[in-house]
PDB file of all heavy atoms in Angstrom:
ATOM      1  N   SER O 163     -34.283 215.579  -9.313  1.00 95.00           N
ATOM      2  CA  SER O 163     -34.319 214.452 -10.286  1.00 95.00           C
ATOM      3  C   SER O 163     -35.715 214.059 -10.801  1.00 95.00           C
ATOM      4  O   SER O 163     -36.085 212.889 -10.899  1.00 95.00           O
ATOM      5  CB  SER O 163     -33.651 213.202  -9.692  1.00 95.00           C
ATOM      6  OG  SER O 163     -32.311 213.467  -9.313  1.00 95.00           O
ATOM      7  N   VAL O 164     -36.502 215.105 -11.122  1.00 93.00           N
ATOM      8  CA  VAL O 164     -37.779 214.897 -11.650  1.00 93.00           C
ATOM      9  C   VAL O 164     -37.671 214.489 -13.171  1.00 93.00           C
ATOM     10  O   VAL O 164     -36.889 215.091 -13.893  1.00 93.00           O
ATOM     11  CB  VAL O 164     -38.631 216.218 -11.551  1.00 93.00           C
ATOM     12  CG1 VAL O 164     -39.965 216.027 -12.119  1.00 93.00           C
ATOM     13  CG2 VAL O 164     -38.735 216.634 -10.089  1.00 93.00           C
ATOM     14  N   PRO O 165     -38.361 213.495 -13.601  1.00 95.00           N
ATOM     15  CA  PRO O 165     -38.342 213.040 -14.974  1.00 95.00           C
ATOM     16  C   PRO O 165     -38.866 214.208 -15.917  1.00 95.00           C
ATOM     17  O   PRO O 165     -39.798 214.898 -15.598  1.00 95.00           O
ATOM     18  CB  PRO O 165     -39.289 211.874 -15.081  1.00 95.00           C
ATOM     19  CG  PRO O 165     -39.485 211.452 -13.645  1.00 95.00           C
ATOM     20  CD  PRO O 165     -39.282 212.539 -12.800  1.00 95.00           C
ATOM     21  N   TRP O 166     -38.140 214.384 -17.058  1.00 92.00           N
ATOM     22  CA  TRP O 166     -38.447 215.514 -17.924  1.00 92.00           C
ATOM     23  C   TRP O 166     -39.835 215.350 -18.580  1.00 92.00           C
ATOM     24  O   TRP O 166     -40.450 216.319 -18.791  1.00 92.00           O
ATOM     25  CB  TRP O 166     -37.361 215.611 -19.022  1.00 92.00           C
ATOM     26  CG  TRP O 166     -36.098 216.146 -18.427  1.00 92.00           C
ATOM     27  CD1 TRP O 166     -34.970 215.411 -18.200  1.00 92.00           C
ATOM     28  CD2 TRP O 166     -35.838 217.469 -17.949  1.00 92.00           C
ATOM     29  NE1 TRP O 166     -34.029 216.232 -17.636  1.00 92.00           N
ATOM     30  CE2 TRP O 166     -34.558 217.532 -17.482  1.00 92.00           C
ATOM     31  CE3 TRP O 166     -36.609 218.653 -17.921  1.00 92.00           C
ATOM     32  CZ2 TRP O 166     -33.990 218.653 -16.955  1.00 92.00           C
ATOM     33  CZ3 TRP O 166     -36.050 219.798 -17.386  1.00 92.00           C
ATOM     34  CH2 TRP O 166     -34.727 219.784 -16.897  1.00 92.00           C
ATOM     35  N   GLY O 167     -40.340 214.163 -18.665  1.00 93.00           N
ATOM     36  CA  GLY O 167     -41.742 213.957 -19.176  1.00 93.00           C
ATOM     37  C   GLY O 167     -42.702 214.548 -18.190  1.00 93.00           C
ATOM     38  O   GLY O 167     -43.711 215.165 -18.587  1.00 93.00           O
ATOM     39  N   GLN O 168     -42.449 214.319 -16.885  1.00 93.00           N
ATOM     40  CA  GLN O 168     -43.318 214.884 -15.857  1.00 93.00           C
ATOM     41  C   GLN O 168     -43.279 216.430 -15.863  1.00 93.00           C
ATOM     42  O   GLN O 168     -44.261 217.147 -15.692  1.00 93.00           O
ATOM     43  CB  GLN O 168     -42.938 214.387 -14.528  1.00 93.00           C
ATOM     44  CG  GLN O 168     -43.899 214.720 -13.400  1.00 93.00           C
ATOM     45  CD  GLN O 168     -43.488 214.012 -12.107  1.00 93.00           C
ATOM     46  OE1 GLN O 168     -42.576 213.151 -12.060  1.00 93.00           O
ATOM     47  NE2 GLN O 168     -44.177 214.371 -11.040  1.00 93.00           N
ATOM     48  N   VAL O 169     -42.080 216.978 -16.144  1.00 91.00           N
ATOM     49  CA  VAL O 169     -41.872 218.451 -16.209  1.00 91.00           C
ATOM     50  C   VAL O 169     -42.758 218.999 -17.340  1.00 91.00           C
ATOM     51  O   VAL O 169     -43.437 219.992 -17.225  1.00 91.00           O
ATOM     52  CB  VAL O 169     -40.424 218.809 -16.350  1.00 91.00           C
ATOM     53  CG1 VAL O 169     -40.224 220.283 -16.646  1.00 91.00           C
ATOM     54  CG2 VAL O 169     -39.613 218.393 -15.151  1.00 91.00           C
ATOM     55  N   ALA O 170     -42.682 218.284 -18.500  1.00 90.00           N
ATOM     56  CA  ALA O 170     -43.459 218.752 -19.681  1.00 90.00           C
ATOM     57  C   ALA O 170     -44.973 218.770 -19.369  1.00 90.00           C
ATOM     58  O   ALA O 170     -45.723 219.665 -19.755  1.00 90.00           O
ATOM     59  CB  ALA O 170     -43.151 217.844 -20.842  1.00 90.00           C
ATOM     60  N   VAL O 171     -45.426 217.710 -18.689  1.00 89.00           N
ATOM     61  CA  VAL O 171     -46.897 217.617 -18.442  1.00 89.00           C
ATOM     62  C   VAL O 171     -47.281 218.742 -17.476  1.00 89.00           C
ATOM     63  O   VAL O 171     -48.269 219.464 -17.742  1.00 89.00           O
ATOM     64  CB  VAL O 171     -47.213 216.253 -17.709  1.00 89.00           C
ATOM     65  CG1 VAL O 171     -48.573 216.229 -17.087  1.00 89.00           C
ATOM     66  CG2 VAL O 171     -47.084 215.097 -18.738  1.00 89.00           C
ATOM     67  N   PHE O 172     -46.514 218.979 -16.431  1.00 86.00           N
ATOM     68  CA  PHE O 172     -46.853 220.085 -15.551  1.00 86.00           C
ATOM     69  C   PHE O 172     -46.679 221.476 -16.122  1.00 86.00           C
ATOM     70  O   PHE O 172     -47.367 222.391 -15.747  1.00 86.00           O
ATOM     71  CB  PHE O 172     -46.088 219.925 -14.211  1.00 86.00           C
ATOM     72  CG  PHE O 172     -46.649 218.927 -13.286  1.00 86.00           C
ATOM     73  CD1 PHE O 172     -46.003 217.741 -13.099  1.00 86.00           C
ATOM     74  CD2 PHE O 172     -47.822 219.180 -12.618  1.00 86.00           C
ATOM     75  CE1 PHE O 172     -46.535 216.753 -12.267  1.00 86.00           C
ATOM     76  CE2 PHE O 172     -48.339 218.191 -11.805  1.00 86.00           C
ATOM     77  CZ  PHE O 172     -47.682 217.023 -11.608  1.00 86.00           C
ATOM     78  N   ALA O 173     -45.824 221.595 -17.108  1.00 85.00           N
ATOM     79  CA  ALA O 173     -45.647 222.872 -17.763  1.00 85.00           C
ATOM     80  C   ALA O 173     -46.822 223.200 -18.634  1.00 85.00           C
ATOM     81  O   ALA O 173     -47.234 224.338 -18.854  1.00 85.00           O
ATOM     82  CB  ALA O 173     -44.370 222.882 -18.621  1.00 85.00           C
ATOM     83  N   LEU O 174     -47.424 222.131 -19.226  1.00 86.00           N
ATOM     84  CA  LEU O 174     -48.600 222.355 -20.116  1.00 86.00           C
ATOM     85  C   LEU O 174     -49.944 222.306 -19.392  1.00 86.00           C
ATOM     86  O   LEU O 174     -50.937 222.683 -19.912  1.00 86.00           O
ATOM     87  CB  LEU O 174     -48.635 221.286 -21.219  1.00 86.00           C
ATOM     88  CG  LEU O 174     -47.398 221.346 -22.181  1.00 86.00           C
ATOM     89  CD1 LEU O 174     -47.467 220.189 -23.089  1.00 86.00           C
ATOM     90  CD2 LEU O 174     -47.440 222.666 -22.914  1.00 86.00           C
ATOM     91  N   LEU O 175     -49.932 221.869 -18.150  1.00 82.00           N
ATOM     92  CA  LEU O 175     -51.167 221.709 -17.371  1.00 82.00           C
ATOM     93  C   LEU O 175     -51.934 223.037 -17.284  1.00 82.00           C
ATOM     94  O   LEU O 175     -53.169 222.995 -17.413  1.00 82.00           O
ATOM     95  CB  LEU O 175     -50.817 221.174 -15.965  1.00 82.00           C
ATOM     96  CG  LEU O 175     -51.944 220.564 -15.175  1.00 82.00           C
ATOM     97  CD1 LEU O 175     -52.603 219.407 -15.958  1.00 82.00           C
ATOM     98  CD2 LEU O 175     -51.453 220.058 -13.832  1.00 82.00           C
ATOM     99  N   PRO O 176     -51.324 224.177 -17.021  1.00 80.00           N
ATOM    100  CA  PRO O 176     -52.155 225.414 -16.953  1.00 80.00           C
ATOM    101  C   PRO O 176     -52.889 225.707 -18.228  1.00 80.00           C
ATOM    102  O   PRO O 176     -54.019 226.274 -18.164  1.00 80.00           O
ATOM    103  CB  PRO O 176     -51.115 226.501 -16.663  1.00 80.00           C
ATOM    104  CG  PRO O 176     -49.986 225.824 -16.028  1.00 80.00           C
ATOM    105  CD  PRO O 176     -49.964 224.476 -16.645  1.00 80.00           C
ATOM    106  N   ASP O 177     -52.429 225.283 -19.362  1.00 84.00           N
ATOM    107  CA  ASP O 177     -53.122 225.539 -20.635  1.00 84.00           C
ATOM    108  C   ASP O 177     -54.397 224.656 -20.730  1.00 84.00           C
ATOM    109  O   ASP O 177     -55.281 224.995 -21.485  1.00 84.00           O
ATOM    110  CB  ASP O 177     -52.221 225.249 -21.817  1.00 84.00           C
ATOM    111  CG  ASP O 177     -51.093 226.294 -21.901  1.00 84.00           C
ATOM    112  OD1 ASP O 177     -51.342 227.354 -21.435  1.00 84.00           O
ATOM    113  OD2 ASP O 177     -50.058 225.958 -22.412  1.00 84.00           O
ATOM    114  N   LEU O 178     -54.471 223.631 -20.004  1.00 84.00           N
ATOM    115  CA  LEU O 178     -55.699 222.761 -19.958  1.00 84.00           C
ATOM    116  C   LEU O 178     -56.817 223.478 -19.211  1.00 84.00           C
ATOM    117  O   LEU O 178     -57.950 223.064 -19.269  1.00 84.00           O
ATOM    118  CB  LEU O 178     -55.377 221.427 -19.427  1.00 84.00           C
ATOM    119  CG  LEU O 178     -54.405 220.549 -20.200  1.00 84.00           C
ATOM    120  CD1 LEU O 178     -54.135 219.208 -19.419  1.00 84.00           C
ATOM    121  CD2 LEU O 178     -54.893 220.267 -21.566  1.00 84.00           C
ATOM    122  N   SER O 179     -56.488 224.487 -18.491  1.00 86.00           N
ATOM    123  CA  SER O 179     -57.507 225.201 -17.692  1.00 86.00           C
ATOM    124  C   SER O 179     -58.475 225.895 -18.623  1.00 86.00           C
ATOM    125  O   SER O 179     -59.551 226.280 -18.188  1.00 86.00           O
ATOM    126  CB  SER O 179     -56.814 226.201 -16.777  1.00 86.00           C
ATOM    127  OG  SER O 179     -56.224 227.238 -17.542  1.00 86.00           O
ATOM    128  N   ILE O 180     -58.162 226.011 -19.905  1.00 87.00           N
ATOM    129  CA  ILE O 180     -59.101 226.624 -20.831  1.00 87.00           C
ATOM    130  C   ILE O 180     -60.351 225.789 -20.925  1.00 87.00           C
ATOM    131  O   ILE O 180     -61.414 226.303 -21.274  1.00 87.00           O
ATOM    132  CB  ILE O 180     -58.454 226.805 -22.195  1.00 87.00           C
ATOM    133  CG1 ILE O 180     -59.214 227.804 -23.083  1.00 87.00           C
ATOM    134  CG2 ILE O 180     -58.286 225.525 -22.955  1.00 87.00           C
ATOM    135  CD1 ILE O 180     -58.962 229.226 -22.731  1.00 87.00           C
ATOM    136  N   ALA O 181     -60.287 224.503 -20.527  1.00 88.00           N
ATOM    137  CA  ALA O 181     -61.465 223.688 -20.593  1.00 88.00           C
ATOM    138  C   ALA O 181     -62.485 224.116 -19.574  1.00 88.00           C
ATOM    139  O   ALA O 181     -63.675 223.807 -19.694  1.00 88.00           O
ATOM    140  CB  ALA O 181     -61.056 222.211 -20.281  1.00 88.00           C
TER     141      ALA O 181
END
Side-chain angles (χ1 to χ4, degrees):
S163 301
V164 177
W166 288 106
Q168 188 175 353
V169 173
V171 167
F172 281 107
L174 296 174
L175 198 58
D177 292 332
L178 295 177
S179 66
I180 198 76

